[in-house]
């Protein structure tokens, strides 16, 4: 037995405590959803697409709630879901180490419990921020310790209505068609649309530029003159990685006259924001998100210093881009500061909610109601394109139809990713409130499944015949009473 296990620490001991806690709470709850068959096979109660942090939290909450006929599919190999071990180029998470993340109210499931079990309380005290690979390791453990039903290497390629069910086409490690009653799209930041690419880049040969979430070969950028668009976290992380890989020079092309310096939404973070935002009138939701978009989130201090420590890095502020073109084997960029020449450009320009960008959503895209379809009204504030294309979701993150009756299955498809932010607040993308989001999602799915099977549940009520009283607990005094009355 290792010293840590003997001392009640170590992962084995932690897993034992977690099992005890689950047992005390009688979790997972007993399965309660009636089995449903289609073409001779069992239909899934819920399929989750994406096994990143949101997909895992949603799957865990479903299983703990007694909805256990579920599976999560992820196109990525196990351990490479989401950005952490792929295109996240920061050294550490931005979030404070103490956030509960996907722990779903279970103390032994927190990152802190996992870390402390292995490296001890002193190491926890001296940890500044969570290294990104360690966050991925924690998510791998989270999935294992809860024995979550996840299948990797499986891409969902199409969604097709099938009566009151949803049919999904799969490719990869599992192929063919599967059926489900509810579908959760935990497909991440780029999950509904894809990369947001500015118009001035759309016709430029991809040899000369990459999106910050692309798989970039940084060794090939050694000795090159580089530009990075933007001043957000990803701009800094990509710029720093390029500089550390030996770029000859690197310019950050920043449209703003000043760097954003205050992280406003994090600053006012509270349980009020987590649980209250989605209940606010729409005009208030718009106002919060519009203001945050206007003031912008600054890049983390550490990431910014990671760039500025290089003498060959320049921060070019007030440097809007008018056009980009290929010119004699290099990039010629016309900016508000004049003409600039580079070998390669990285566009850290974020993601879009434009569903038409994803082939797997072709059947849904024209039917999904967006904020632009009447939920936004001019008195709310600036009509920002990326907010207008946000889906107009219901209380369980379910899509709504643009024209009622044209695609009823949307009511069973839940948008549990970044695109839900305008309707639901930040509960389905970032670490701080993902448990609250998963709980809201699963409460809604639970209610919908129960209501949809209400006939069966009522029939079960009528058929239930196991007596609680055996009949020997009392005597019937009615004959006596009759006798008394007669007297
Ligand atoms: C670079 C970066 C750094 C971040 N740092 C922080 C931070 O410090 N703190 C914080 O709170 N938040 C951070 N975030 C935001 C957020 O926490 C992450 O984006 C997180 O990964 C969100 O989890 P997710 O499950 O929604 O998406 P993801 O982790 O992206 O998972 C989505 C999964 O869906 C799968 N998928 C998509 N489409 C399909 C399909 N058709 N079929 C099968 N599988 C599919 C993908 O393979 C992917 O694994 C960061 C985001 C990025 C991009």
């Amino acid at each position: 037995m290792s010293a840590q296990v003997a001392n009640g620490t170590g992962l084995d001991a932690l897993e034992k405590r977690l099992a005890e806690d689950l047992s005390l709470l009688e979790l997972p709850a007993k399965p309660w959803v009636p089995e449903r068959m289609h073409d001779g096979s069992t239909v899934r109660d819920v399929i989750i697409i994406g096994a990143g942090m949101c997909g895992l939290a949603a799957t865990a909450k479903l299983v703990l709630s007694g909805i256990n006929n579920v599976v999560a599919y992820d196109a990525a190999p196990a351990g490479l879901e989401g950005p952490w071990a792929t295109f996240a180029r920061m050294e550490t998470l931005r979030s404070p180490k103490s956030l509960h993340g996907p722990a779903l109210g279970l103390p032994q499931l927190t990152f802190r419990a996992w870390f402390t079990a292995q490296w001890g309380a002193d190491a926890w005290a001296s940890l500044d921020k969570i290294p990104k690979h360690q966050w991925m390791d924690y998510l791998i453990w989270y999935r294992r310790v809860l024995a979550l039903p996840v299948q990797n290497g499986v891409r969902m390629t199409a969604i097709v209505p099938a009566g009151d069910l949803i049919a999904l086409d799969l490719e990869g490690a599992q192929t063919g068609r599967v059926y489900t009653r509810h579908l959760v799209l935990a497909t991440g930041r780029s999950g509904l649309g894809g990369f947001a690419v500015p118009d001035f880049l759309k016709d430029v040969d991809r040899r000369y530029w990459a999106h910050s979430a692309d798989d970039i070969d940084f060794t090939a950028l050694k000795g090159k003159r580089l530009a990075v668009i933007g001043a957000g976290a990803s701009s800094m992380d990509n710029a720093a990685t390029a500089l550390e890989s030996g770029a000859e020079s690197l310019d950050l092309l920043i449209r703003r006259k000043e760097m954003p310096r205050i992280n406003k939404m994090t600053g006012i973070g509270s349980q009020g924001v987590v649980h209250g935002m989605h209940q606010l009138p729409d005009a208030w939701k718009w106002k919060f998100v519009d203001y945050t978009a206007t003031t912008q989130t600054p890049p983390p201090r550490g990431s910014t210093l990671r760039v500025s420590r290089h003498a060959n890095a320049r921060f070019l502020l007030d440097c809007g881009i008018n056009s980009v073109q290929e010119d004699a084997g290099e990039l010629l960029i016309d900016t508000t500061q004049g003409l600039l020449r580079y070998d390669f450009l990285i566009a850290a320009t974020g993601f879009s909610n434009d569903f038409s960008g994803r082939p797997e959503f072709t059947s849904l895209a024209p039917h999904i109601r967006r904020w632009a379809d009447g939920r936004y009204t001019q008195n709310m504030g600036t009509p920002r394109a990326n907010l207008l294309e946000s889906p107009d979701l219901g209380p369980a993150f379910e899509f709504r139809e643009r024209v009622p009756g044209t695609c009823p299955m949307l009511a069973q498809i839940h948008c549990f990713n970044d695109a839900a932010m305008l309707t639901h607040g930040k509960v389905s993308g970032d670490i701080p409130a993902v448990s609250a989001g998963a709980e809201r999602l699963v409460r809604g799915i639970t209610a919908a499944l129960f209501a949809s099977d209400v006939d069966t549940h009522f029939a079960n009520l009528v058929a239930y015949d196991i007596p609680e009283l055996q009949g020997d607990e009392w005597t019937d005094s009615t004959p006596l009473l009759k006798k008394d009355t007669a007297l």
Side-chain angles (χ1 to χ4, degrees):
M1 189 186 281
S2 77
Q4 278 181 321
V5 174
N7 295 333
T9 59
L11 270 191
D12 288 348
L14 174 65
E15 290 174 18
K16 194 162 166 282
R17 287 197 300 276
L18 175 62
E20 281 163 10
D21 284 356
L22 290 172
S23 156
L24 288 170
L25 293 166
E26 292 194 87
L27 294 173
K30 69 170 188 204
W32 57 272
V33 185
E35 189 180 30
R36 185 69 199 273
M37 303 295 288
H38 180 82
D39 278 350
S41 315
T42 306
V43 172
R44 294 281 185 189
D45 298 330
V46 186
I47 289 181
I48 303 97
I49 300 299
M53 180 181 67
C54 288
L56 292 181
T59 308
K61 188 66 193 170
L62 285 161
V63 171
L64 294 177
S65 304
I67 305 174
N68 65 349
N69 180 17
V70 301
V71 63
Y73 294 115
D74 201 298
L80 292 182
E81 303 89 351
W84 316 111
T86 52
F87 66 89
R89 299 188 172 108
M90 68 281 194
E91 290 168 331
T92 67
L93 297 197
R94 162 186 220 133
S95 307
K97 64 182 179 183
S98 54
L99 289 177
H100 306 166
L104 300 171
L106 295 162
Q108 314 298 351
L109 205 51
T110 55
F111 177 84
R112 180 175 176 173
W114 175 82
F115 181 96
T116 313
Q118 296 173 93
W119 296 285
D122 289 348
W124 173 254
S126 54
L127 178 73
D128 177 24
K129 293 276 176 67
I130 301 172
K132 65 174 182 183
H133 64 83
Q134 210 164 46
W135 182 252
M136 185 74 237
D137 291 345
Y138 161 70
L139 292 177
I140 292 170
W141 172 77
Y142 177 98
R143 164 181 169 177
R144 178 180 65 70
V145 76
L146 293 175
L148 296 180
V150 178
Q151 291 186 30
N152 285 93
V154 182
R155 178 174 292 281
M156 186 271 289
T157 55
I159 305 172
V160 186
D164 65 340
L165 301 176
I166 302 163
L168 302 178
D169 288 341
L170 305 177
E171 270 179 22
Q174 183 178 335
T175 53
R177 186 160 274 200
V178 289
Y179 294 87
T180 185
R181 298 179 66 185
H182 284 259
L183 172 65
V184 174
L185 298 178
T187 43
R189 285 229 159 162
S190 58
L192 282 195
F195 300 162
V197 177
D199 286 342
F200 55 70
L201 273 181
K202 284 191 171 138
D203 296 325
V204 180
D205 193 311
R206 279 298 230 134
R207 278 181 301 152
Y208 293 98
W209 70 276
H211 187 274
S212 55
D214 276 324
D215 182 11
I216 302 172
D217 177 6
F218 281 91
T219 53
L221 300 181
K222 189 173 175 186
K224 305 272 190 212
R225 298 159 305 155
L226 306 179
V228 174
I229 303 177
S234 287
S235 311
M236 293 305 152
D237 297 330
N238 278 272
T241 309
L243 287 159
E244 288 159 9
S245 306
E248 182 189 299
S249 64
L250 187 140
D251 288 350
L252 285 156
L253 308 182
I254 304 166
R255 191 171 39 194
R256 312 191 130 240
K257 290 195 170 65
E258 289 180 17
M259 291 283 281
R261 291 174 57 184
I262 302 169
N263 196 339
K264 298 251 181 189
M265 276 311 282
T266 298
I268 67 151
S270 73
Q271 288 300 294
V273 173
V274 170
H275 298 294
M277 190 65 82
H278 79 297
Q279 308 269 18
L280 288 176
D282 287 345
W284 270 113
K285 292 183 183 180
W286 193 275
K287 203 166 168 168
F288 271 101
V289 180
D290 181 40
Y291 180 78
T292 316
T294 307
T295 51
Q296 289 199 324
T297 306
R301 178 175 159 78
S303 302
T304 311
L305 289 171
R306 198 177 149 208
V307 175
S308 62
R309 76 167 73 110
H310 294 269
N312 53 343
R314 297 193 298 179
F315 289 65
L316 302 183
L317 289 148
D318 193 13
C319 187
I321 298 177
N322 299 321
S323 68
V324 180
Q325 64 188 78
E326 186 187 339
D327 183 63
E330 55 186 21
L331 279 181
L332 179 62
I333 305 189
D334 179 19
T335 75
T336 51
Q337 299 292 338
L339 289 175
L340 298 167
R341 286 183 179 275
Y342 300 99
D343 299 311
F344 196 78
L345 173 137
I346 298 175
T349 42
F351 303 98
S352 112
N353 289 327
D354 178 6
F355 323 107
S356 52
R358 296 281 291 242
E360 64 263 52
F361 301 132
T362 313
S363 64
L364 308 184
H367 303 293
I368 294 175
R369 191 175 155 85
R370 303 158 305 151
W371 275 64
D373 301 318
R375 189 151 179 181
Y376 167 80
T377 50
Q378 265 183 346
N379 56 348
M380 290 181 184
T382 327
R384 289 180 180 276
N386 62 332
L387 297 189
L388 287 170
E389 66 191 21
S390 293
D392 169 2
L393 301 174
F397 298 85
E398 72 276 24
F399 289 114
R400 291 172 159 156
E401 295 166 285
R402 204 177 264 185
V403 179
T406 49
C407 190
M409 73 169 168
L410 286 179
Q412 292 146 253
I413 304 182
H414 307 262
C415 177
F416 194 55
N417 56 51
D418 213 54
M421 199 248 291
L422 184 55
T423 313
H424 276 272
K426 278 183 173 246
V427 295
S428 54
D430 293 351
I431 296 169
V434 63
S435 285
E439 277 157 21
R440 193 181 300 165
L441 170 79
V442 172
R443 207 173 302 135
I445 293 177
T446 300
L449 284 170
F450 186 77
S452 150
D453 293 326
V454 69
D455 287 346
T456 310
H457 292 299
F458 187 75
N460 289 343
L461 174 71
V462 173
Y464 186 74
D465 61 357
I466 300 173
E468 194 168 323
L469 294 179
Q470 303 298 323
D472 57 359
E473 296 88 351
W474 79 99
T475 48
D476 184 353
S477 304
T478 321
L480 258 178
L481 184 66
K482 277 189 182 145
K483 210 168 125 201
D484 289 353
T485 314
L487 281 171

